[in-house]
Amino acid sequence: MEKRIVCLAGDGVGPEIMASAKQALEMVERLYGHHFYLQDELFGGAAIDGFGQPLPPRTLTACLASDAVLLGAVGGPYWDHAKERPEQGLLTLRKGLGVFANVRPVSVEEATAHLSPLKAAEEVDFVVVRELTGGIYFSFPKERTEEVATDTLTYHRREVERIVSYAFQLAKKRRKKVTSIDKANVLESSKLWRQVTEEVAARYPEVELEHLLVDAAAMELIRNPRRFDVIVTENLFGDILSDEASVLAGSLGMLPSASHAENGPSLYEPIHGSAPDIAGKNKVNPIAMLRSVAMMLGQSFGLRKEGEAIEEAISTVLRSGKCTADLGGNETTTSFTKYVLQTMEEQALVGRGR
Ligand code: IPM
Ligand code: MG
């Protein structure tokens, strides 16, 4: 199989995890006979330095023409006062690709369950489906004077319908439960959200639907996260709750994400940020990025076996006690990646009966 992947390393630890991702892709090429054309493009703060804007037109054009986009991380204090911040580039990229469905799986590795603030954490297994191209991030008016600032939270019926339908489709393939999170006791947008969610649910009688208010959901994520299978929620709630949920896994450095459009390439990125405090120190945990690669292989290219090989290798290395500092270990980004690659190779040889 031949695929074209645009690689946006971005800022902070982005280039370090992108290097790990590329090595994993090279290993997949070698072990399974595929070919990936990797095209690097400037994005985020790096693009502000080079072109004066975080998402230069050629970067967006390349992404739109790709089979999938792999992103490291953007942002950092250096660009805090830039005319356009690196984060704005990420929002424009999401909108430009139309990736409305952000999928953030949360599960806990047996080997790292003791790092979770939760008891019996390995039973946690849910997916946050976050609406990614609407809501308060993108609605107008959005304005600020010295005295008053305004953000607007708008949702259209069709935006709610497509993200909630996505969540139900996903739940059908899992434990058949959707938890829709809103603030319908206060917000008009949430009232529409809830109404449309009910309508969509009627088309999936085999899937259970529950509604939770966002404040109660924040509590339940800590109190009883095992109750969740598929969570669906609007953009800002999803941003906040997915960071909260990531702590259950023991480290923010573990969790990947995929963002899908109705048509066109998907975007894959770790849910963690650019971590400027550890950038360039060979310290960052590459797992979230390697898992994002695994999601890309499975979800965009249908290469499930290859994606699972990466996942399995990560679990094997963790079980052997090797991990990076965020998980209490002393492996570096490069040494941990090397162990994962070696394990992929060994597991492939065993699989072929050699
Ligand atoms: C995320 C990030 C972004 C978001 C920022 C960097 C704009 O926090 O992907 O969760 O809020 O969506
Ligand atoms: Mg976030």
Side-chain angles (χ1 to χ4, degrees):
M1 178 179 282
E2 296 195 359
K3 292 288 174 190
R4 181 176 298 279
I5 302 166
V6 168
C7 300
L8 307 175
D11 311 316
V13 297
E16 293 163 80
I17 54 177
M18 187 58 81
S20 298
K22 287 181 175 175
Q23 288 174 26
L25 285 167
E26 278 161 21
M27 185 56 84
V28 170
E29 288 185 310
R30 196 147 74 66
L31 295 174
Y32 302 91
H34 303 302
H35 193 68
F36 303 121
Y37 297 94
L38 305 181
Q39 183 181 344
D40 289 309
E41 293 293 341
L42 280 179
F43 182 59
I48 296 179
D49 295 346
F51 292 98
Q53 47 181 319
L55 180 62
R58 72 161 277 168
T59 297
L60 180 58
T61 305
C63 290
L64 284 166
S66 73
D67 293 309
V69 181
L70 193 58
L71 169 66
V74 286
Y78 180 76
W79 300 281
D80 273 356
H81 303 289
K83 200 166 85 245
E84 220 185 322
R85 293 176 60 118
E87 290 86 343
Q88 188 54 48
L90 181 56
L91 300 187
T92 313
L93 177 65
R94 288 170 177 170
K95 198 74 172 176
L97 291 172
V99 286
F100 69 97
N102 181 225
V103 181
R104 298 182 163 189
V106 180
S107 62
V108 182
E109 287 281 334
E110 221 182 298
T112 57
H114 63 284
L115 296 170
S116 172
L118 212 72
K119 286 196 207 105
E122 57 272 25
E123 290 163 23
V124 171
D125 178 18
F126 62 86
V127 182
V128 179
V129 175
R130 167 187 175 194
E131 200 293 321
L132 202 60
T133 51
I136 199 165
Y137 277 56
F138 292 101
S139 311
F140 292 100
K142 191 185 249 322
E143 54 202 17
R144 173 165 50 96
T145 68
E146 283 303 309
E147 295 306 320
V148 55
T150 305
D151 288 290
T152 305
L153 202 183
T154 300
Y155 266 109
H156 295 269
R157 162 177 286 276
R158 63 181 158 73
E159 291 174 307
V160 181
E161 203 175 325
R162 69 178 177 179
I163 191 70
V164 172
S165 302
Y166 187 94
F168 272 89
Q169 291 286 350
L170 184 62
K172 245 171 68 170
K173 292 182 245 152
R174 294 177 44 100
R175 300 195 308 277
K176 301 188 174 50
K177 181 175 175 190
V178 169
T179 306
S180 170
I181 296 174
D182 61 33
K183 189 73 185 172
N185 53 348
V186 178
L187 301 177
E188 291 306 317
S189 56
S190 282
K191 288 174 191 157
L192 177 65
W193 180 283
R194 201 172 268 220
Q195 182 192 329
V196 174
T197 299
E198 293 280 349
E199 291 168 19
V200 172
R203 300 205 296 265
Y204 297 87
E206 71 278 36
V207 179
E208 181 196 345
L209 168 67
E210 70 172 352
H211 301 285
L212 265 189
L213 296 173
V214 63
D215 46 355
M219 195 173 68
E220 283 297 283
L221 270 175
I222 305 297
R223 217 174 61 90
N224 185 18
R226 296 168 198 86
R227 72 184 274 167
F228 297 118
D229 177 24
V230 174
I231 288 175
V232 63
T233 192
E234 64 93 50
N235 203 343
L236 181 61
F237 296 162
D239 178 43
I240 298 168
L241 294 176
S242 60
D243 265 29
E244 185 190 354
S246 73
V247 177
L248 301 173
S251 163
L252 196 56
M254 306 281 280
L255 300 183
S257 82
S259 304
H260 301 297
E262 282 175 78
N263 292 300
S266 299
L267 171 68
Y268 297 87
E269 53 177 317
I271 86 155
H272 65 72
S274 61
D277 51 324
I278 56 164
K281 296 186 179 157
N282 199 16
K283 266 177 131 171
V284 61
N285 184 346
I287 292 179
M289 184 57 153
L290 293 172
R291 284 187 166 153
S292 300
V293 171
M295 284 183 95
M296 175 175 76
L297 293 173
Q299 298 185 11
S300 278
F301 307 155
L303 300 177
R304 297 202 191 280
K305 181 179 66 189
E306 290 82 342
E308 279 161 21
I310 295 178
E311 287 284 351
E312 266 177 47
I314 292 170
S315 300
T316 307
V317 175
L318 286 175
R319 272 201 304 275
S320 76
K322 298 188 180 71
C323 55
T324 43
D326 55 313
L327 298 172
N330 39 35
E331 297 305 330
T332 60
T333 310
T334 45
S335 70
F336 187 85
T337 304
K338 194 184 72 195
Y339 287 123
V340 172
L341 301 179
Q342 268 172 12
T343 309
M344 283 171 69
E345 201 167 13
E346 283 161 21
Q347 287 175 344
L349 291 178
V350 171
R352 283 171 201 155
R354 275 195 251 160

